[in-house]
Amino acid sequence: MSNIKNVVIIGASGSLGSVVFEKLVASGKFHVRALKRVGSSSKFPAGTEVVEVDFDSLDSLKSALAGQDALVSTVSSGGLESQKTLIDAAIATGVKRFIPSEFGSNLDNPNARKLPVYGHKVAVQEYLIEKARTTGITYTLVYNSAFLDWGLKHKFILDVSGDKPTIIDGGNRPFSTTTLSTVADAVIGVFGHLEETKNRGVYIQDAVITQNQLLEMAKKAAPNRSWDVMHVKLDDLTAEADAKLTKGDYSMQTFVPYLYRAVLDPAYGGNFTGKTDNELLGIKEMSEAEVFEVAKSFVYTT
Ligand SMILES: NC(=O)c1ccc[n+]([C@@H]2O[C@H](COP(=O)([O-])OP(=O)(O)OC[C@H]3O[C@@H](n4cnc5c(N)ncnc54)[C@H](OP(=O)(O)O)[C@@H]3O)[C@@H](O)[C@H]2O)c1
């Protein structure tokens, strides 16, 4: 039995956070409090307990976390570093379980861990791991590899909205993929299985898929459209990114190829086959037909 009742969520207005927030509330199992940055224009449904905080102030965070059992952070890349102060505040106020803003690649994989795009996430993990050794806080890292719905909407795993999808390294590399909704289910599953998920990464997926399979689904959904596929090599993409980093270009655009490396290169652990925690967390994989329905919703048919 979980003794998690009061859950605080950070970044609850975001792409992932809004879905996690909705599902936490809808589960009826938790009292949910949302923390937002002072001056943020984030909006929440009427009746939501919202606390404005200064994420650089330990005192501000401590008063916002008073009485909370668990914390889930879904902050964007800009907010990752500030999670260290959040961890300090969580320890000071007796928060039992801390779920940091991971929700992506398998950072237990030593190769993925070294990718420049994950510097802040790894630093936060290391801080949290050390604190879990020396204080009462515990943590869970949720690894879901590439988002499926978000990844199609934002043309990351494949651009099925235009006519020129980019296929990387031939398109036959299998990777794990997960919808935002399933990630939210996993968070709730963690709160229901505190001991089994204590101080480790949990692996979840809705499906394992390839870019070519997604392209076939897009073609099936829009049989009258023509497709002008662009083929690129992952090594070329990351070599370009390396060159940009050397010149001091730290834009998100520069970092994207490293995300592809983590998702698609088998040496970086983006295919979770045989190691998922789906069963523990109550997640049922999607059938091919269900994945097709998700993919179809992002394909323009005319
Ligand atoms: N696996 C994948 O394919 C994939 C794809 C995308 C994202 N992700 C991961 O999912 C997590 C959430 O990403 P997201 O795209 O959902 O985030 P997002 O929508 O861009 O932002 C989430 C929230 O973060 C807060 N925020 C924004 N900038 C901030 C800053 N500079 N400092 C502090 N807080 C800030 C905002 O909340 P307030 O305004 O309310 O304060 C915002 O609503 C991240 O860890 C990200 O890496 C994974």
Side-chain angles (χ1 to χ4, degrees):
M1 265 268 288
S2 169
N3 48 1
I4 300 295
K5 286 280 169 261
N6 294 328
V7 174
V8 65
I9 175 164
I10 328 289
S13 59
S15 303
L16 173 64
S18 56
V19 181
V20 175
F21 171 80
E22 270 172 37
K23 283 210 149 180
L24 282 169
V25 172
S27 75
K29 294 177 180 168
F30 312 105
H31 176 85
V32 183
R33 177 183 291 176
L35 265 52
K36 69 173 191 176
R37 293 167 294 162
V38 174
S40 160
S41 56
S42 295
K43 297 266 180 291
F44 297 94
T48 305
E49 186 184 331
V50 183
V51 183
E52 278 204 359
V53 284
D54 172 357
F55 279 90
D56 296 323
S57 160
L58 185 61
D59 285 340
S60 171
L61 285 167
K62 271 166 51 179
S63 67
L65 295 186
Q68 300 302 301
D69 300 314
L71 182 154
V72 53
S73 169
T74 58
V75 288
S76 62
S77 47
L80 292 174
E81 260 189 309
S82 62
Q83 291 179 113
K84 286 186 183 172
T85 316
L86 198 56
I87 293 166
D88 290 340
I91 293 165
T93 52
V95 169
K96 298 181 191 87
R97 179 61 48 93
F98 193 107
I99 302 183
S101 194
E102 279 292 331
F103 308 111
S105 299
N106 170 7
L107 295 192
D108 291 347
N109 177 293
N111 295 326
R113 233 176 148 73
K114 286 188 211 126
L115 290 169
V117 68
Y118 296 122
H120 289 320
K121 284 192 174 177
V122 169
V124 167
Q125 275 195 14
E126 284 170 353
Y127 194 73
L128 195 47
I129 290 166
E130 181 53 31
K131 293 294 178 186
R133 272 196 209 109
T134 52
T135 73
I137 199 150
T138 63
Y139 66 87
T140 305
L141 312 167
V142 177
Y143 297 135
N144 44 255
S145 197
F147 289 158
L148 177 59
D149 40 4
W150 184 99
L152 290 166
K153 182 178 178 191
H154 293 271
K155 306 169 186 181
F156 174 64
I157 52 176
L158 192 69
D159 179 0
V160 293
S161 66
D163 293 332
K164 292 189 192 317
T166 300
I167 293 283
I168 299 171
D169 285 351
N172 287 323
R173 292 191 164 177
F175 59 91
S176 296
T177 188
T178 314
T179 57
L180 300 178
S181 174
T182 296
V183 177
D185 291 340
V187 168
I188 293 170
V190 167
F191 293 150
H193 296 87
L194 287 184
E195 205 44 46
E196 302 94 320
T197 60
K198 181 178 167 185
N199 297 343
R200 70 176 181 97
V202 294
Y203 296 82
I204 55 158
Q205 65 185 30
D206 275 317
V208 172
I209 196 134
T210 66
Q211 282 195 306
N212 282 340
Q213 284 172 321
L214 285 171
L215 182 58
E216 284 313 305
M217 289 179 185
K219 287 178 178 173
K220 187 175 155 193
N224 298 325
R225 270 184 45 195
S226 61
W227 301 85
D228 182 12
V229 176
M230 204 166 87
H231 286 274
V232 296
K233 288 191 182 138
L234 185 52
D235 284 350
D236 292 344
L237 297 181
T238 52
E240 254 175 62
D242 291 345
K244 284 188 191 166
L245 282 184
T246 312
K247 289 183 193 147
D249 177 351
Y250 301 110
S251 63
M252 197 55 214
Q253 212 52 30
T254 299
F255 286 116
V256 168
Y258 302 114
L259 299 174
Y260 286 125
R261 177 70 72 191
V263 170
L264 295 172
D265 186 331
Y268 289 69
N271 178 353
F272 300 166
T273 303
K275 64 183 304 183
T276 78
D277 292 286
N278 278 9
E279 200 180 328
L280 173 71
L281 301 176
I283 292 164
K284 190 175 157 289
E285 282 199 19
M286 282 182 172
S287 65
E288 202 180 312
E290 286 169 323
V291 176
F292 173 69
E293 286 306 314
V294 176
K296 196 174 126 184
S297 64
F298 296 98
V299 178
Y300 295 131
T301 48
T302 51

